Amino acid sequence: MPRTNPLQSQSSAPQWQAVSRVVYPVLDQDLTMPLYAIEWTRPHMGEGTLDPHKDFVSLDFAQMTKTEFRSLLEDTAHAQPADGAHNVFRVNGRASLTVLAGSHASLCTFFNAFPAGYWRRWTSVDTVRFSARVRGRGTIMLFRSSGRGLFEPAGTIDVHAPTRATTVHANLAMTGLMDGGFFWFDAKAGDSDDLTIEDAAWSVPVEARRGSDGTLSIAITTFNRAPYCLNQLKAIAADANVRGRLDTIYCTDQGTDLVRDEPGFAAVAKDLGHQLTYVRQRNMGGSGGFARGMYETVKAGKSDYTLLLDDDAISEPESIMRAVQFADYCTRPTIVGGGMFHLDNRTMLYTLGERYNRASYWTQPAAGLEYNHDFATQPLRDSPKLHRRADSDFNGWWMCLIPTQIMREIGLAQPLFIKFDDVDYGLRAEDHGYHTVCLPGVAVWHQAWHAKDPSRTWEGYYLYRNHWICSLLHCTKPSWHFLYGMLFDDAKAGVELVYSAMHLHHLALRDIMRGPEYIADTLATKLGDVRKAREGFPDSATTRNRNDFPAPKAEYIANMKPRSSMIDVRLQAMKTIAKAFVSRGNGMRDTQPDLLIPSRDASWPAYAGVNSAVVTSPDGDSVAWLRRDSKLYRQQTMRGLFLAKELLKRWESLAKEYQNSDMASFEAWAKVFEDPANQLR
């Protein structure tokens, strides 16, 4: 039951708490402004938004004339991208915006639209108040949308305050929001006067809060990213609102390039004082570092939440407050996650919430959405799919707030080093009746994945091992789709001449079948074994000097024939795999590579009939001379098939073994952290 505030009981007027302050960027405005405020443009709404039945009919491009197709492209090209529009408004500070005379701005943006549908679903709030201090002349127009992306006016506030600021407010009922929807405001200045809006906020009745204001600890784990981690500490230290809720930051340093040795660390440590706890330990990956912060939070017994935050993420401090306050109002303990924007393309949202597909045992976007939505070209108002409330199974640990009560009940992170620890935790919480909510308006900027390919590095071992462990933990019986995925990934790696990846797959399968105790016991030592296991394979011998290898005979140019469906692509891939399996090709003695393959094209179509190739790494920083070894490929393929069959044969018993293991328990982690061998100074 919501707690009754004694002050409110003496008055009929509710007390309001600001839970989503309208903020603006003071740095990197040219890179991020479309996430905060945009120039108002005439609304346009597609037929599919107005009439869902339009989605039942597919578009037949074969019946489209060239003129019609050209018109379609021109319509798309003429769409105006969202922009900060410096001729439309001016940012005066973190909480102040001036719309210039005769101009019109919209706050229907990722960071400043209020996610009303989420508050309707997960809290008992029934009314939201908009408030702001205004000066000048103009109009503030309030809007609301539904889960379908349809929107309508919700109120108008005329501003006549040419010389002195005044406070305005309006209440909006939480109706029509079952499937999602947002509240937001647009601001239009008078023809001859500017309009300034300051301290705008969305507030909710305090009586709807589940308890008192919650406090948090922040867990940051870092490994040789000292400058990034220091910047994260500085950003938190500079935000007074966050500091007011913060117990301590557990900065777990597992590297050799230490954060404490960075110029400026002493100053930020002095500023934070008791709100910073610096911890040194052996490298146990992200799961070991985050588990340490979770462990210390539970052990201290002061914080209501632990916020897991990546060391190299750039955080929007207001996101931290929004996550904590939303969690305070949820009707029961709830994990609150934030989205991830690309660090190299600040307006592109990689994802906001994901699901775990229990058929493929892989992850996918929530609610049928897609990865990589760019708000600079597709503003929130004109993206109806994003107005739907998206229910999630888990949230990435670039930013994830976990209630201490949940950690006490279900334990800490699995000792998986890296990858799938966040997926498992969300699923484990769900199994115990605790939901994960990925809240719009909450996010960080993080380095995107397109410059990485774990299948071509030591990370491939953890990716596949932990994928399979997560499946054992949450799926009692495997599907044939899972077996197909295992074998296809293995065979595909060999077709691409990355034999070290096949070897790591097999090492992962063997280690899984050794049981959870082995996984936990080798947490801090397995990385060395994995790196050593890759040695000797041509794909692991990289160089940053292109001239270390002879010039290839030719350069690959993609010319894959268009195919009508994904099934056709998979069939072609299977044919390529079959040809590679029976091939007698051998590039181990080549004195000159057949082909130069750029990283972008380094997939199975490029390797057909190629005995050796110089291939660029995904980050563009090195190259490797990959060589075909058909005999090894056949041996590795048969080895993979044998191990996959063994895993499936033992699946049910292994699943029980992993599911009954206590390797994620508070007590198990206590033994790890208190072991002198894992402690560093």
Side-chain angles (χ1 to χ4, degrees):
M1 294 291 291
R3 190 185 67 173
T4 300
N5 190 306
L7 293 177
Q8 184 177 318
S9 63
Q10 300 173 14
S11 172
S12 58
Q15 290 191 345
W16 299 90
Q17 182 176 38
V19 294
S20 186
R21 299 162 187 81
V22 176
V23 295
Y24 310 100
V26 293
L27 298 173
D28 299 330
Q29 292 183 8
D30 54 333
L31 300 176
T32 64
M33 189 58 76
L35 300 177
Y36 295 87
I38 60 176
E39 178 183 6
W40 180 91
T41 57
R42 183 180 61 81
H44 63 273
M45 200 168 295
E47 282 188 290
T49 304
L50 299 171
D51 182 5
H53 295 92
K54 294 290 183 181
D55 292 337
F56 295 171
V57 181
S58 63
L59 183 62
D60 188 352
F61 283 97
Q63 300 300 317
M64 183 178 290
T65 67
K66 186 174 181 179
T67 299
E68 290 170 335
F69 181 68
R70 185 179 296 276
S71 296
L72 177 65
L73 294 180
E74 289 174 350
D75 287 345
T76 303
H78 290 162
Q80 294 185 354
D83 196 348
H86 62 276
N87 292 324
V88 173
F89 56 79
R90 178 181 66 250
V91 172
N92 308 311
R94 183 68 169 146
S96 178
L97 183 81
T98 295
V99 182
L100 304 182
S103 298
H104 196 168
S106 176
L107 278 293
C108 186
T109 57
F110 180 85
F111 279 123
N112 283 329
F114 181 73
Y118 289 79
W119 281 82
R120 168 67 175 82
R121 169 66 179 88
W122 300 108
T123 77
S124 59
V125 170
D126 58 9
T127 307
V128 175
R129 167 168 287 196
F130 167 77
S131 61
R133 292 177 66 248
V134 295
R135 186 173 66 256
R137 288 188 175 93
T139 306
I140 293 177
M141 293 150 286
L142 299 172
F143 290 89
R144 60 185 302 144
S145 67
S146 68
R148 289 174 56 187
L150 299 170
F151 55 90
E152 61 184 17
T156 300
I157 302 174
D158 292 323
V159 179
H160 299 282
T163 59
R164 185 177 181 181
T166 185
T167 299
V168 297
H169 67 264
N171 296 349
L172 280 71
M174 298 281 276
T175 56
L177 300 167
M178 190 64 73
D179 294 330
F182 288 87
F183 296 160
W184 72 89
F185 73 92
D186 292 346
K188 186 176 182 179
D191 292 338
S192 304
D193 299 87
D194 294 347
L195 174 61
T196 297
I197 304 105
E198 297 178 338
D199 300 325
W202 300 95
S203 303
V204 298
V206 174
E207 66 175 356
R209 194 172 58 202
R210 180 163 42 91
S212 57
D213 285 342
T215 62
L216 79 156
S217 289
I218 299 177
I220 300 175
T221 179
T222 187
F223 179 82
N224 292 348
R225 288 173 172 166
Y228 295 97
C229 188
L230 180 61
N231 287 337
Q232 189 71 277
L233 296 177
K234 289 179 178 178
I236 297 170
D239 193 278
N241 289 327
V242 174
R243 295 283 296 271
R245 293 289 191 100
L246 178 66
D247 287 322
T248 189
I249 304 169
Y250 293 106
C251 180
T252 303
D253 198 334
Q254 303 181 132
T256 54
D257 179 16
L258 302 182
V259 180
R260 69 186 180 195
D261 295 336
E262 280 291 298
F265 175 79
V268 76
K270 181 179 180 181
D271 182 8
L272 286 167
H274 69 277
Q275 290 183 312
L276 175 63
T277 302
Y278 185 77
V279 179
R280 288 276 288 125
Q281 68 180 27
R282 291 179 70 182
N283 183 21
M284 303 181 197
S287 63
F290 282 134
R292 183 61 182 265
M294 299 163 82
Y295 169 81
E296 296 293 347
T297 301
V298 174
K299 183 179 176 182
K302 295 190 299 182
S303 301
D304 298 287
Y305 311 102
T306 297
L307 178 70
L308 309 184
L309 190 62
D310 258 351
D311 58 345
D312 59 343
I314 298 177
S315 59
E316 162 53 77
E318 181 64 21
S319 290
I320 299 176
M321 288 301 299
R322 291 175 183 176
V324 172
Q325 291 183 294
F326 179 78
D328 283 347
Y329 280 85
C330 286
T331 54
R332 62 177 321 221
T334 300
I335 298 173
V336 182
M340 186 193 112
F341 282 96
H342 289 228
L343 192 59
D344 52 6
N345 189 351
R346 298 288 186 89
T347 58
M348 181 170 284
L349 178 68
Y350 169 68
T351 186
L352 180 72
E354 294 175 273
R355 303 303 294 260
Y356 179 72
N357 188 319
R358 295 178 187 266
S360 65
Y361 305 121
W362 207 256
T363 59
Q364 63 188 39
L369 301 179
E370 296 180 350
Y371 292 113
N372 301 319
H373 180 94
D374 191 351
F375 285 99
T377 58
Q378 303 172 76
L380 176 61
R381 187 193 62 187
D382 300 325
S383 302
K385 285 187 176 181
L386 297 185
H387 289 245
R388 173 182 172 181
R389 191 192 72 251
D391 294 335
S392 305
D393 289 328
F394 70 97
N395 193 91
W397 280 0
W398 45 75
M399 180 183 188
C400 191
L401 184 81
I402 305 175
T404 306
Q405 179 178 330
I406 295 179
M407 293 187 292
R408 289 196 186 101
E409 183 173 336
I410 76 171
L412 313 181
Q414 297 283 4
L416 300 179
F417 197 79
I418 57 171
K419 301 188 183 302
F420 274 89
D421 43 3
D422 47 8
V423 180
D424 164 75
Y425 203 87
L427 296 175
R428 203 174 353 140
E430 195 171 53
D431 290 341
H432 285 77
Y434 298 111
H435 293 284
T436 297
V437 177
C438 305
L439 188 66
V442 174
V444 297
W445 287 272
H446 193 281
Q447 188 63 50
W449 318 129
H450 48 245
K452 298 181 180 180
D453 184 357
S455 68
R456 294 170 61 185
T457 69
W458 58 267
E459 292 185 30
Y461 167 84
Y462 292 102
L463 175 65
Y464 288 98
R465 187 198 70 174
N466 297 345
H467 171 210
W468 297 327
I469 289 177
C470 186
S471 303
L472 283 166
L473 285 165
H474 300 284
C475 302
T476 304
K477 293 184 178 180
S479 68
W480 284 106
H481 187 100
F482 183 72
L483 175 61
Y484 164 80
M486 291 175 67
L487 298 178
F488 180 82
D489 288 341
D490 208 34
K492 177 176 174 291
V495 167
E496 296 170 358
L497 311 184
V498 189
Y499 300 121
S500 71
M502 299 182 76
H503 184 58
L504 293 186
H505 293 176
H506 306 159
L507 178 62
L509 285 168
R510 291 198 301 270
D511 288 350
I512 288 169
M513 288 186 278
R514 291 180 176 183
E517 186 174 343
Y518 175 81
I519 300 298
D521 289 345
T522 58
L523 172 64
T525 59
K526 195 63 190 180
L527 177 57
D529 297 338
V530 171
R531 289 185 182 276
K532 189 171 183 61
R534 292 189 71 235
E535 294 177 0
F537 291 95
D539 61 87
S540 68
T542 61
T543 176
R544 299 184 67 183
N545 187 349
R546 173 65 188 79
N547 294 324
D548 287 347
F549 299 136
K553 299 174 185 176
E555 182 174 350
Y556 177 74
I557 300 176
N559 60 353
M560 186 176 178
K561 296 178 181 179
R563 308 185 192 283
S564 60
S565 69
M566 182 58 72
I567 294 177
D568 291 332
V569 175
R570 288 176 177 171
L571 286 174
Q572 185 61 32
M574 296 304 294
K575 290 179 181 178
T576 304
I577 289 171
K579 288 181 180 179
F581 187 78
V582 300
S583 171
R584 293 295 183 267
N586 191 332
M588 299 302 293
R589 296 182 181 179
D590 282 6
T591 57
Q592 183 182 16
D594 292 331
L595 211 56
L596 174 65
I597 303 178
S599 173
R600 182 183 185 279
D601 299 318
S603 188
W604 57 267
Y607 295 89
V610 175
N611 279 335
S612 69
V614 171
V615 182
T616 310
S617 63
D619 61 5
D621 199 42
S622 63
V623 293
W625 188 355
L626 277 55
R627 302 166 181 261
R628 185 178 299 280
D629 188 337
S630 297
K631 182 179 179 180
L632 176 62
Y633 181 52
R634 282 187 286 275
Q635 291 174 344
Q636 293 272 57
T637 300
M638 298 309 296
R639 179 64 175 163
L641 179 60
F642 169 77
L643 290 170
K645 288 171 60 179
E646 283 296 304
L647 177 62
L648 293 181
K649 188 188 303 181
R650 296 178 52 189
W651 187 280
E652 292 188 26
S653 61
L654 277 171
K656 290 180 181 178
E657 193 175 345
Y658 276 91
Q659 291 166 14
N660 294 331
S661 169
D662 71 340
M663 61 180 181
S665 69
F666 182 88
E667 293 74 19
W669 277 110
K671 294 177 182 178
V672 173
F673 297 138
E674 293 170 8
D675 185 344
N678 293 325
Q679 298 172 8
L680 300 175
R681 292 186 178 181

